[in-house]
Amino acid sequence: MDRKMSRGAGLAAGRALALCAALLCAPAAASASVEAERAVAARQAAMKELGAHSRHIAAFLRGGAAADMASRGRAVAAIAARLPGLFPEGSGLDALGLDKTGAKAAIWERWDAFQAASKTLATLGLALAAAAEDGDRAGIGGAMAALGRQGCGGCHRDFRQKRD
């Protein structure tokens, strides 16, 4: 009987230990999930901001005023500099699903390439700003084309899962 009580007490202690571990780990897992959700929201806001700048630049190319093209180029560069910080581990497609994010695992698997893509976007944003400061409409057009193809497209091609 002592052996049965001992075994039963051991099972109960094991269950209690497992429950405690789950309760202690659950807040950490929930906190990681909340942080991932925040990161996704922040980077989606940054991408929307990039899209707004791109739309204004495109409007300029269709005959708009050049007044704010330099500031938009600098804004693109500033956002690009922040991008790597908006992609913490555990905030990708594999962890959160396509309904939350299109961030492929390749971002973290090829982190150096992702950082390089962000730097390319920043450099191209500054090139756009320089062309705008010179008032060179053709230069702005070329800088915008490079920004779209090599900057945005260069990153999206390798690191973003398209949504349906």
Side-chain angles (χ1 to χ4, degrees), residues 9-153:
L11 288 173
R15 287 184 187 131
L17 183 60
L19 179 61
C20 286
L23 291 174
L24 290 173
C25 293
S31 176
S33 178
V34 167
E35 289 304 313
E37 297 280 343
R38 285 182 185 150
V40 169
R43 70 179 174 241
Q44 287 174 342
M47 295 301 170
K48 286 179 183 175
E49 190 177 349
L50 282 171
H53 289 301
S54 293
R55 285 188 297 283
H56 280 88
I57 294 165
F60 162 78
L61 294 175
R62 291 187 304 269
D68 66 345
M69 289 303 103
S71 66
R72 292 197 181 276
R74 285 190 295 277
V76 167
I79 295 167
R82 291 190 347 245
L83 286 180
L86 299 176
F87 287 85
E89 292 242 17
S91 67
L93 177 62
D94 294 345
L96 301 174
L98 189 57
D99 60 326
K100 301 281 182 183
T101 180
K104 290 181 179 178
I107 291 170
W108 298 277
E109 293 166 357
R110 299 178 39 226
W111 185 250
D112 290 342
F114 178 72
Q115 287 182 305
S118 295
K119 287 179 183 174
T120 297
L121 179 62
T123 299
L124 293 170
L126 293 176
L128 172 63
E133 287 169 355
D134 290 344
D136 178 8
R137 194 172 203 70
I140 294 170
M144 181 55 191
L147 184 68
R149 256 190 329 273
Q150 298 163 357
C152 299

